[in-house]
Amino acid sequence: QNKSLQVELLVEKKRVGSNAREAQLREELGHIFDENNTLLNEQFALNQERQKLIEDNEASQKRIESLQQDMASLNRTILELQDQQGSMVDSYKCILSHVSTAHAAHKRIIQQKEEIETANAQLRARASVAFEDLTPRPDWNQIMKETQLPCPINGSATDLDKHGTKTVEQFSITCN
């Protein structure tokens, strides 16, 4: 009976030992499941973060493409403005050349005007001194006496009108 008790005890010990081992294995298995669950949660979080980074990267790529298109448009605008600036500078130079030429012509005209006014004043001064001597008037009475024409003209050189000429009505012709 002892033997059977011993066998039973051994079986019971094995069972108790195996229960303890089973409990230990269950506990280790629970830790492994917990660790696996934690790793799966971390992997899920990493996958979500990766997916968010991919979406952010795609949005960034779209933004970069949009900015590159804007930059290309701005570069075209800059080139157009530079062309316009070049043509404006050329126009400005041309206009400046015309203004310079016009200014030089204006100065020449002013100088010529001053020279003409000076010459005119000199001529006026010269003419006013002996104007009567510069434009001699015939003395009709003297001419008539010297030439003794058959039809004398009655009148004198002093009978001039305001323009310095005689009119036909002022003279009388007498014929003998």
Side-chain angles (χ1 to χ4, degrees), residues 27-66:
E27 191 176 314
E28 285 179 18
L29 188 60
H31 286 305
I32 290 173
F33 278 131
D34 289 342
E35 191 176 312
N36 193 23
N37 195 21
T38 303
L39 289 174
L40 284 174
N41 287 338
E42 287 176 5
Q43 185 178 7
F44 181 74
L46 287 174
N47 280 339
Q48 284 183 331
E49 188 176 331
R50 181 176 161 256
Q51 186 63 31
K52 185 176 184 234
L53 287 174
I54 289 172
E55 290 171 1
D56 289 347
N57 187 24
E58 289 173 356
S60 295
Q61 287 295 332
K62 287 179 182 178
R63 179 75 176 140
I64 287 171
E65 289 173 4
S66 172

Coordinates of all heavy atoms in Angstrom, one line a residue, residues 27-66:
E27 N 1.3 31.8 -16.9 CA 1.7 33.2 -16.5 C 2.7 33.7 -17.6 O 2.6 34.8 -18.0 CB 2.4 33.2 -15.1 CG 2.6 34.6 -14.6 CD 3.2 34.5 -13.2 OE1 2.7 33.8 -12.4 OE2 4.1 35.3 -13.0
E28 N 3.6 32.9 -18.0 CA 4.6 33.3 -19.1 C 3.8 33.5 -20.4 O 4.1 34.5 -21.1 CB 5.6 32.2 -19.3 CG 6.7 32.1 -18.2 CD 7.7 31.0 -18.4 OE1 7.8 30.5 -19.6 OE2 8.4 30.7 -17.5
L29 N 2.9 32.6 -20.7 CA 2.1 32.8 -21.9 C 1.3 34.1 -21.8 O 1.2 34.8 -22.8 CB 1.2 31.6 -22.1 CG 0.4 31.5 -23.4 CD1 1.4 31.5 -24.6 CD2 -0.5 30.3 -23.4
G30 N 0.7 34.4 -20.6 CA 0.0 35.7 -20.4 C 0.9 36.9 -20.7 O 0.5 37.9 -21.3
H31 N 2.2 36.8 -20.1 CA 3.1 37.8 -20.4 C 3.5 38.0 -21.8 O 3.6 39.1 -22.4 CB 4.4 37.6 -19.6 CG 4.3 37.8 -18.1 ND1 3.8 39.0 -17.5 CD2 4.5 37.0 -17.0 CE1 3.8 38.9 -16.2 NE2 4.2 37.7 -15.9
I32 N 3.6 36.8 -22.5 CA 3.9 36.8 -23.9 C 2.8 37.4 -24.7 O 3.0 38.3 -25.6 CB 4.3 35.4 -24.4 CG1 5.6 34.9 -23.9 CG2 4.3 35.3 -25.9 CD1 5.9 33.5 -24.1
F33 N 1.5 37.1 -24.3 CA 0.4 37.7 -25.0 C 0.3 39.2 -24.7 O 0.0 40.0 -25.6 CB -0.9 37.0 -24.5 CG -1.3 35.7 -25.2 CD1 -1.6 34.6 -24.5 CD2 -1.2 35.6 -26.6 CE1 -1.9 33.4 -25.1 CE2 -1.5 34.4 -27.2 CZ -1.9 33.3 -26.5
D34 N 0.5 39.6 -23.5 CA 0.5 41.0 -23.1 C 1.6 41.7 -23.9 O 1.4 42.8 -24.5 CB 0.8 41.2 -21.6 CG -0.5 40.8 -20.8 OD1 -1.6 40.6 -21.4 OD2 -0.3 40.6 -19.6
E35 N 2.8 41.1 -24.0 CA 3.9 41.7 -24.7 C 3.6 41.8 -26.2 O 3.8 42.8 -26.9 CB 5.2 40.9 -24.5 CG 6.4 41.6 -25.0 CD 7.7 40.8 -24.6 OE1 7.8 40.4 -23.5 OE2 8.5 40.7 -25.5
N36 N 3.0 40.7 -26.7 CA 2.6 40.7 -28.1 C 1.5 41.7 -28.4 O 1.6 42.4 -29.4 CB 2.1 39.2 -28.5 CG 2.0 39.0 -30.0 OD1 2.6 39.8 -30.7 ND2 1.2 38.1 -30.4
N37 N 0.6 41.8 -27.5 CA -0.5 42.8 -27.6 C 0.1 44.2 -27.6 O -0.3 45.0 -28.4 CB -1.5 42.6 -26.5 CG -2.8 43.3 -26.8 OD1 -3.1 43.6 -27.9 ND2 -3.6 43.5 -25.8
T38 N 1.0 44.4 -26.7 CA 1.7 45.8 -26.6 C 2.4 46.0 -27.9 O 2.3 47.1 -28.5 CB 2.6 45.8 -25.4 OG1 1.9 45.5 -24.2 CG2 3.3 47.1 -25.3
L39 N 3.1 45.0 -28.4 CA 3.9 45.2 -29.7 C 2.9 45.4 -30.8 O 3.2 46.3 -31.7 CB 4.8 44.0 -30.0 CG 6.0 43.8 -29.1 CD1 6.7 42.5 -29.4 CD2 6.9 45.0 -29.2
L40 N 1.8 44.7 -30.8 CA 0.8 44.9 -31.9 C 0.2 46.3 -31.8 O 0.0 47.0 -32.8 CB -0.3 43.9 -31.8 CG 0.0 42.5 -32.3 CD1 -1.1 41.5 -32.0 CD2 0.3 42.5 -33.8
N41 N -0.1 46.8 -30.6 CA -0.6 48.2 -30.4 C 0.5 49.2 -30.9 O 0.1 50.2 -31.5 CB -1.0 48.4 -29.0 CG -2.3 47.7 -28.6 OD1 -3.1 47.4 -29.4 ND2 -2.5 47.5 -27.3
E42 N 1.7 49.0 -30.5 CA 2.8 49.9 -31.0 C 2.9 49.8 -32.5 O 3.1 50.9 -33.1 CB 4.1 49.5 -30.3 CG 4.2 49.8 -28.8 CD 5.5 49.4 -28.2 OE1 6.4 48.9 -28.9 OE2 5.6 49.5 -27.0
Q43 N 2.8 48.6 -33.1 CA 2.9 48.5 -34.5 C 1.7 49.2 -35.2 O 1.9 49.9 -36.2 CB 3.0 47.1 -34.9 CG 3.2 46.9 -36.4 CD 3.3 45.4 -36.8 OE1 3.1 44.5 -36.0 NE2 3.6 45.2 -38.1
F44 N 0.6 49.1 -34.6 CA -0.6 49.8 -35.1 C -0.4 51.3 -35.1 O -0.7 52.0 -36.0 CB -1.9 49.3 -34.4 CG -3.1 49.9 -34.9 CD1 -3.7 49.5 -36.1 CD2 -3.8 51.0 -34.1 CE1 -4.9 50.1 -36.5 CE2 -4.9 51.6 -34.6 CZ -5.5 51.1 -35.8
A45 N 0.1 51.8 -33.9 CA 0.3 53.2 -33.8 C 1.4 53.7 -34.8 O 1.2 54.7 -35.4 CB 0.7 53.5 -32.3
L46 N 2.4 52.8 -35.0 CA 3.4 53.2 -35.9 C 2.9 53.2 -37.3 O 3.2 54.1 -38.2 CB 4.6 52.2 -35.8 CG 5.5 52.4 -34.6 CD1 6.6 51.3 -34.5 CD2 6.2 53.8 -34.6
N47 N 2.0 52.2 -37.7 CA 1.4 52.2 -39.0 C 0.5 53.4 -39.2 O 0.5 54.0 -40.3 CB 0.6 50.9 -39.2 CG 1.5 49.7 -39.5 OD1 2.6 49.9 -40.0 ND2 1.0 48.5 -39.3
Q48 N -0.3 53.8 -38.1 CA -1.1 55.0 -38.3 C -0.2 56.2 -38.5 O -0.5 57.1 -39.3 CB -2.0 55.2 -37.0 CG -3.1 54.2 -37.0 CD -4.0 54.5 -35.8 OE1 -3.6 54.9 -34.8 NE2 -5.3 54.2 -35.9
E49 N 0.9 56.3 -37.7 CA 1.8 57.4 -37.8 C 2.5 57.4 -39.2 O 2.6 58.5 -39.8 CB 2.9 57.4 -36.7 CG 3.8 58.6 -36.7 CD 4.8 58.5 -35.5 OE1 4.5 57.9 -34.5 OE2 5.8 59.1 -35.6
R50 N 2.8 56.3 -39.7 CA 3.4 56.1 -41.0 C 2.4 56.6 -42.1 O 2.7 57.3 -43.0 CB 3.8 54.7 -41.3 CG 4.4 54.4 -42.6 CD 4.9 53.0 -42.7 NE 5.0 52.6 -44.1 CZ 4.2 51.9 -44.8 NH1 3.2 51.4 -44.3 NH2 4.4 51.7 -46.1
Q51 N 1.1 56.1 -41.9 CA 0.1 56.5 -42.9 C -0.1 58.1 -42.8 O -0.3 58.7 -43.9 CB -1.2 55.8 -42.5 CG -2.3 56.1 -43.5 CD -2.0 55.5 -44.9 OE1 -1.3 54.5 -45.1 NE2 -2.5 56.2 -45.9
K52 N -0.1 58.6 -41.6 CA -0.2 60.1 -41.5 C 1.0 60.8 -42.2 O 0.8 61.8 -42.9 CB -0.3 60.5 -40.0 CG -0.6 62.0 -39.8 CD -0.8 62.3 -38.4 CE -1.1 63.8 -38.3 NZ -0.3 64.5 -37.5
L53 N 2.2 60.3 -42.0 CA 3.4 60.9 -42.6 C 3.3 60.7 -44.1 O 3.6 61.7 -44.9 CB 4.6 60.2 -42.1 CG 5.0 60.5 -40.7 CD1 6.2 59.6 -40.2 CD2 5.4 62.0 -40.5
I54 N 2.8 59.6 -44.6 CA 2.6 59.5 -46.1 C 1.6 60.5 -46.6 O 1.8 61.1 -47.6 CB 2.1 58.0 -46.4 CG1 3.3 57.0 -46.2 CG2 1.6 57.9 -47.9 CD1 2.9 55.6 -46.3
E55 N 0.5 60.7 -45.9 CA -0.5 61.7 -46.3 C 0.0 63.1 -46.2 O -0.2 63.9 -47.2 CB -1.8 61.5 -45.4 CG -2.6 60.3 -45.7 CD -3.7 60.1 -44.7 OE1 -3.8 60.9 -43.7 OE2 -4.4 59.1 -44.8
D56 N 0.8 63.4 -45.2 CA 1.4 64.7 -45.0 C 2.5 64.9 -46.2 O 2.6 66.0 -46.7 CB 2.1 64.8 -43.7 CG 1.2 65.0 -42.5 OD1 0.0 65.2 -42.8 OD2 1.6 64.8 -41.4
N57 N 3.2 63.8 -46.5 CA 4.2 63.9 -47.6 C 3.5 64.1 -48.9 O 4.0 65.0 -49.7 CB 5.0 62.6 -47.7 CG 6.1 62.6 -48.6 OD1 6.6 63.7 -48.9 ND2 6.5 61.5 -49.1
E58 N 2.3 63.5 -49.2 CA 1.6 63.7 -50.4 C 1.1 65.1 -50.4 O 1.2 65.8 -51.5 CB 0.4 62.7 -50.5 CG 0.9 61.3 -50.8 CD -0.2 60.3 -50.8 OE1 -1.4 60.7 -50.4 OE2 0.0 59.1 -51.1
A59 N 0.6 65.6 -49.3 CA 0.1 67.0 -49.3 C 1.3 68.0 -49.5 O 1.1 69.0 -50.2 CB -0.6 67.3 -47.9
S60 N 2.4 67.7 -48.9 CA 3.6 68.5 -49.1 C 4.0 68.5 -50.5 O 4.4 69.5 -51.1 CB 4.7 68.0 -48.2 OG 4.4 68.2 -46.8
Q61 N 4.0 67.3 -51.2 CA 4.4 67.2 -52.6 C 3.4 68.1 -53.4 O 3.9 68.8 -54.3 CB 4.3 65.7 -53.1 CG 5.5 64.9 -52.5 CD 6.8 65.4 -53.1 OE1 6.9 65.9 -54.1 NE2 7.8 65.1 -52.3
K62 N 2.1 68.0 -53.1 CA 1.2 68.8 -53.9 C 1.4 70.3 -53.7 O 1.4 71.1 -54.6 CB -0.3 68.5 -53.5 CG -0.7 67.1 -54.0 CD -2.2 66.8 -53.6 CE -2.6 65.4 -54.1 NZ -3.9 65.1 -53.6
R63 N 1.7 70.6 -52.4 CA 2.0 72.0 -52.1 C 3.3 72.5 -52.8 O 3.4 73.6 -53.4 CB 2.2 72.2 -50.6 CG 2.5 73.6 -50.1 CD 1.3 74.5 -50.2 NE 1.7 75.8 -49.7 CZ 1.4 76.9 -50.2 NH1 0.5 76.9 -51.2 NH2 1.7 78.1 -49.7
I64 N 4.3 71.6 -52.9 CA 5.6 71.9 -53.6 C 5.3 72.1 -55.1 O 5.8 73.1 -55.7 CB 6.6 70.8 -53.3 CG1 7.1 70.9 -51.9 CG2 7.8 70.9 -54.3 CD1 8.0 69.7 -51.5
E65 N 4.5 71.2 -55.7 CA 4.1 71.4 -57.1 C 3.4 72.7 -57.3 O 3.7 73.4 -58.3 CB 3.3 70.2 -57.5 CG 4.1 68.9 -57.6 CD 3.2 67.7 -57.9 OE1 2.0 67.9 -58.1 OE2 3.7 66.6 -57.9
S66 N 2.5 73.0 -56.4 CA 1.7 74.3 -56.6 C 2.7 75.5 -56.5 O 2.6 76.4 -57.3 CB 0.6 74.4 -55.5 OG 0.0 75.6 -55.5

